[in-house]
Amino acid sequence: MPGIVCVMQTDGLFSLEPSPADRSISSPGFEAPSPDAPLAVRLRPSGIDELVGQDHLLAPGAPLRRLVAGGAPMSVILWGPPGCGKTTIAHLVAEADDRHFVAMSALTAGVKEVREVIDTARRRRRAGGAPTVLFIDEVHRFTKTQQDSLLAAVEDRTVTLLAATTENPYFSIISPLLSRCVLLTLKPLDDEAVRGLVRRALTDPRGLGGTVTIAAEAEDHLVRLAGGDVRKALTALEAAAGSALAIHDGDGVPEIDVATAERAVDVAALRYDRAGDAHYDVISAFIKSMRGSDVDAAMHYLARMLTAGEDPRFIARRLIIFASEDVGLADPTALTAAVNASYAVQHVGLPEAQLNLAQAVAHLATAPKSNAVTTAIFAAIADVRAGKAGSVPPHLRDAHYAGSKGLGHGIGYRYPHDDARGVVGQQYPPDDLVGVDYYRPTGHGGERHIAERLPKLRAVVRGTGNTGRSEEKP
């Protein structure tokens, strides 16, 4: 039976003892975790069907399922946040009995260790032995030279590479290696998946085995605290269970309440329901604090939402709306700041993106305020709904198709760039809306300059008042 190789240990994840010969062992899988192993380690799935939260990768015939089952020699890069199951997948791959498994960490391995594994795999392959799967944890830590050392072996399948990374592989892994691998993106677990694993840990004999129970509020606290990282949730649960057992007076099964959970993880439990009143109250206070230019209060509510596990994409969307609804052209850069924060949330993620959200909040809260754009579009929509639409003036209609000129389309249209001022007098709105002002700029921030310029523009366009000489720009 082929053995499993572990060239080095990685944070207690690989507890195999190497033999003197070639650092391999004869055991067909990882050793069973010891009773004092971390709860997250003891509860690792024993099969791929127990893997939670990655349903998009587990369809019949999908590369991940085939890799675990031993029927796919393709090299794979697993990209996902901490606690989503990358190392668990490596354990499942190692359980297959038709391959030789080698594990190393990019934190401690170098080119020498990589080449030793490749040379051993090549000799085994020539001797008719089992193919080698090389698992590299934190592969983004490898330098370009270290990654280069893998290329030939991956190309000719001397080894099947299984690499895990928390960093964007398009930035952290060289293109030649990336092109030789199938990239599988793992998602953070949603709240219900984390909740299900917490409950399994409470009753599973491999976990806490029913020695403690947990109150609903305490469970909610641990789920929010995890933020999609199941390892974090199980670590917090284990600490809370230890506290509950330590203070238990021996009467019945102890319960982990909110106070016990708070003491165990040293984080206060916020009363915050992402689908309830607290969610709407806090976001309302957040928006109103920014609108009122109280940057400190706005920062408090931002911190409150982030700590409670609010979806950062929801916060980013509200910032984008606020930038146009309450700042507008008083600070034209506000929308750019909000959109950039949203981009950071999507491409950087938490926890780092909380800095980008905080920067955008500070920008929006301290910016000059104007709702002139908001009132303008709402007033225009109201008129359209009231039937004030009318026909598009003939000179503005599309004149690019045959026969349009015969219908009078485009005739008489004046091209603004032909005028030295860049603006000319002609009718743009339908007849019923001539002279209607929707946009009324304030005197705040950058909108002050628009307020000074807009009457001149309207005078030229509408042909009212003294427009001045043609060479003067409004």
Side-chain angles (χ1 to χ4, degrees):
M1 181 176 293
I4 295 179
V5 178
C6 181
V7 299
M8 60 189 63
Q9 296 185 3
T10 58
D11 301 329
L13 299 177
F14 306 102
S15 55
L16 304 178
E17 292 297 330
S19 68
D22 63 354
R23 300 177 185 172
S24 66
I25 67 168
S26 58
S27 171
F30 288 101
E31 292 179 348
S34 61
D36 61 349
L39 181 59
V41 173
R42 303 201 306 270
L43 281 175
R44 287 196 190 282
S46 57
I48 192 170
D49 290 328
E50 290 186 17
L51 190 64
V52 174
Q54 308 302 336
D55 294 344
H56 63 296
L57 300 179
L58 298 176
L64 179 56
R65 184 174 288 276
R66 292 168 57 208
L67 178 69
V68 172
M74 81 278 287
S75 292
V76 170
I77 293 173
L78 302 173
W79 173 32
C84 66
K86 298 185 297 298
T87 306
T88 293
I89 291 170
H91 277 251
L92 294 175
V93 172
E95 291 297 326
D97 59 7
D98 62 344
R99 67 192 71 178
H100 198 76
F101 189 87
V102 183
M104 64 172 55
S105 170
L107 294 172
T108 53
V111 172
K112 177 182 177 182
E113 289 80 7
V114 171
R115 287 175 177 167
E116 285 178 357
V117 173
I118 292 173
D119 290 343
T120 301
R122 186 173 288 113
R123 289 194 298 269
R124 179 175 287 105
R125 182 181 181 185
R126 289 172 179 170
T132 297
V133 175
L134 172 58
F135 174 62
I136 302 178
D137 198 17
E138 305 288 343
V139 68
H140 58 273
R141 302 278 188 173
F142 266 177
T143 64
K144 181 179 183 298
T145 300
Q146 289 169 315
Q147 293 184 35
D148 281 337
S149 67
L150 294 164
L151 292 177
V154 173
E155 176 74 26
D156 63 13
R157 290 184 175 171
T158 297
V159 298
T160 296
L161 178 65
L162 177 62
T165 178
T166 56
E167 301 293 330
N168 189 327
Y170 293 104
F171 300 129
S172 60
I173 297 177
I174 60 174
S175 297
L177 182 58
L178 195 58
S179 68
R180 288 165 169 81
C181 300
V182 175
L183 176 62
L184 300 181
T185 304
L186 279 69
K187 299 178 180 178
L189 274 65
D190 61 26
D191 286 354
E192 289 312 305
V194 174
R195 191 183 306 278
L197 290 171
V198 167
R199 292 176 178 176
R200 179 193 297 179
L202 288 167
T203 58
D204 196 306
R206 297 173 299 169
L208 299 174
T211 56
V212 296
T213 60
I214 189 169
E217 284 190 352
E219 180 183 270
D220 291 341
H221 176 46
L222 294 184
V223 170
R224 285 196 300 266
L225 185 68
D229 183 340
V230 69
R231 186 188 294 113
K232 187 175 182 180
L234 295 178
T235 300
L237 174 63
E238 187 172 25
S243 297
L245 289 168
I247 62 177
H248 180 46
D249 58 9
D251 183 19
V253 177
E255 180 184 68
I256 302 171
D257 57 17
V258 172
T260 303
E262 288 177 328
R263 286 194 302 269
V265 297
D266 195 28
V267 176
L270 292 177
R271 273 57 178 180
Y272 187 93
D273 181 357
R274 283 169 57 175
D277 289 343
H279 164 83
Y280 295 105
D281 289 345
V282 172
I283 194 63
S284 176
F286 175 61
I287 295 298
K288 289 171 181 172
S289 297
M290 288 194 296
R291 182 180 296 139
S293 299
D294 190 332
V295 63
D296 305 295
M299 207 64 73
H300 162 78
Y301 290 117
L302 173 64
R304 195 158 159 178
M305 289 187 288
L306 291 173
T307 303
E310 180 60 80
D311 186 346
R313 296 171 299 177
F314 167 75
I315 301 173
R317 287 194 296 269
R318 295 309 301 259
L319 292 179
I320 293 174
I321 296 168
F322 181 90
S324 292
E325 181 179 12
D326 289 287
V327 178
L329 292 178
D331 181 356
T333 67
L335 182 57
T336 301
V339 170
N340 286 343
S342 178
Y343 179 88
V345 166
Q346 296 289 339
H347 295 272
V348 177
L350 295 177
E352 290 85 354
Q354 64 188 359
L355 303 176
N356 309 113
L357 289 172
Q359 179 178 336
V361 167
H363 186 141
L364 298 179
T366 58
K369 305 297 189 297
S370 171
N371 70 343
V373 169
T374 302
T375 56
I377 186 60
F378 286 166
I381 289 173
D383 277 354
V384 170
R385 288 176 174 171
K388 297 180 180 179
S391 300
V392 174
H395 59 280
L396 299 185
R397 297 180 187 178
D398 180 22
H400 288 87
Y401 61 93
S404 62
K405 289 291 192 293
L407 298 173
H409 293 185
I411 296 176
Y413 172 68
R414 299 182 64 192
Y415 189 53
H417 296 293
D418 288 340
D419 190 283
R421 301 168 298 179
V423 58
V424 298
Q426 65 182 335
Q427 179 180 333
Y428 290 100
D431 292 342
D432 290 346
L433 296 173
V434 171
V436 174
D437 295 347
Y438 289 121
Y439 178 51
R440 301 175 185 274
T442 69
H444 304 157
E447 215 167 34
R448 180 176 64 253
H449 304 292
I450 300 175
E452 295 171 354
R453 188 169 68 252
L454 185 56
K456 300 177 183 178
L457 289 171
R458 284 174 172 158
V460 173
V461 170
R462 297 172 182 176
T464 61
N466 182 10
T467 62
R469 295 180 299 169
S470 62
E471 67 272 11
E472 293 179 350
K473 297 183 180 180

